[in-house]
Amino acid sequence: MALRLVQANFKARDDSALGRFWAAALGWRVSTSGTGATSVAPAGFTWTDPGAPVCVDVIAVPDPETVKYRVHLDLATTSAAHQAELVARLRDLGATPADVGQGDVPWTVLADPEGNVFCVLEPREIYRDTGPIAAVVVDCADPRGMARFWGEAMDWAVHEVTHDHARLRSAKGVGPYLEFLRTPDMKTVSSRVHLDVVPYRGDDQAAEVAWLTDLGATLADVGQGDVPWIVLADPEGNEFCILAPA
C-alpha cells in the first residue's frame, strides 16, 4: 500500500485570485476553476499520471488568515540572478516580505497575497531537477517520527534524517522533496495549508484509510460534511486529505 502526494491545498478568501498568483509564480496555468475551487498545474498535466508533479489547489473559505501555518512551499532557483528576478516578479504579483525570525539567511521569505508564507531559495544543487517547487516543508516536533510515518505512507525514499530535519522524495526521483523541520511552535489550530494524497489506480480508499490509522493517523473532522475525500491527521495532528482514486 502507498499513496501519491498530488497537491498542496491552500484555503483562501478568494480562490481565483490566489490561484492566479500561484500560477504566475510557478510558471504554470490555472487548469480548472469553479465555484470556490481553483487548481494550478503545469501545461500537459494529467491527474492520473503516477509521475505527475505536486500541484496547487486553492479552496475558498470565509475565515481570514491569522496564524503562521505549519506547511509552506520552498521555491527553487538556478542562479543568484534568477533568485533576484523571481523575488522581484513575485513582489510585482502581490507578494510581500515576511519576517518569521529567519535572521540573515541566503533565502528570501515572502508572503503571498493572502498571507501564506513561502521561501525563495538561493541556488542549491539538490533542487536542480525538482521543478519550480523545491520542497513542501512541514514544521513539526519530531522530524524522525514524521519521516517514518510519511515515508511509509507514500513509499518515498528518505534522503536525510537528523534531530532537526528530515528530507524525503519520491522513489522515482521526480518532483519536490517533502521536508520536516523541527520547530518549537505547537499546532493549536486547523491549518489553512495541507497535503492532499490519492491512492494509486486500483487501490481502495477505505483500505488505505485503515492502513494509515494503523500507522498512527487519526480521523479528523474539519467541518467537511459529506464529501468523497476523507480527512485524517498525521501523528502530530496535521490534517491531510485522501482523495478518491481517479
Side-chain angles (χ1 to χ4, degrees):
M1 285 187 171
L3 296 157
R4 180 163 59 91
L5 177 59
V6 290
Q7 58 197 21
N9 187 300
F10 288 73
K11 298 182 178 71
R13 289 181 293 269
D14 186 339
D15 63 286
S16 180
L18 192 61
R20 290 194 301 271
F21 168 85
W22 279 106
L26 299 171
W28 292 353
R29 61 184 178 88
V30 174
S31 60
T32 59
S33 185
T35 304
T38 299
S39 297
V40 175
F45 169 78
T46 302
W47 175 263
T48 56
D49 180 1
V54 177
C55 298
V56 170
D57 197 43
V58 187
I59 304 297
V61 295
D63 55 310
E65 195 280 339
T66 57
V67 298
K68 176 181 180 292
Y69 303 126
R70 299 189 71 192
V71 180
H72 74 266
L73 301 183
D74 282 351
L75 305 189
T77 62
T78 57
S79 66
H82 180 207
Q83 183 186 20
E85 181 276 330
L86 180 57
V87 169
R89 183 162 62 84
L90 291 166
R91 295 284 302 273
D92 288 342
L93 291 170
T96 54
D99 186 350
V100 294
Q102 67 269 25
D104 184 16
V105 293
W107 59 89
T108 301
V109 184
L110 298 174
D112 71 19
E114 293 226 5
N116 301 298
V117 171
F118 64 99
C119 298
V120 181
L121 302 180
E122 76 285 3
R124 301 185 192 181
E125 179 64 19
I126 192 171
Y127 301 131
R128 71 188 183 281
D129 61 351
T130 60
I133 301 176
V136 180
V137 183
V138 182
D139 292 346
C140 67
D142 179 11
R144 293 183 187 277
M146 292 288 273
R148 283 194 298 270
F149 173 82
W150 282 100
E152 192 163 352
M154 300 192 300
D155 194 25
W156 277 26
V158 177
H159 286 247
E160 176 188 353
V161 178
T162 69
H163 177 74
D164 294 318
H165 181 255
R167 178 182 287 125
L168 294 77
R169 196 183 191 193
S170 165
K172 297 180 176 64
V174 297
Y177 289 82
L178 178 62
E179 303 188 8
F180 299 99
L181 183 66
R182 182 180 294 276
T183 175
D185 298 333
M186 297 301 294
K187 182 184 187 299
T188 57
V189 296
S190 177
S191 179
R192 281 170 49 120
V193 182
H194 69 262
L195 305 180
D196 284 346
V197 297
V198 66
Y200 284 91
R201 181 176 292 181
D203 289 345
D204 180 73
Q205 185 187 38
E208 296 289 345
V209 170
W211 175 62
L212 287 168
T213 55
D214 287 342
L215 290 179
T218 54
L219 290 170
D221 185 350
V222 294
Q224 66 269 24
D226 184 17
V227 293
W229 59 88
I230 298 171
V231 184
L232 297 178
D234 70 19
E236 291 208 9
N238 300 298
E239 295 90 5
F240 64 100
C241 295
I242 302 181
L243 308 182

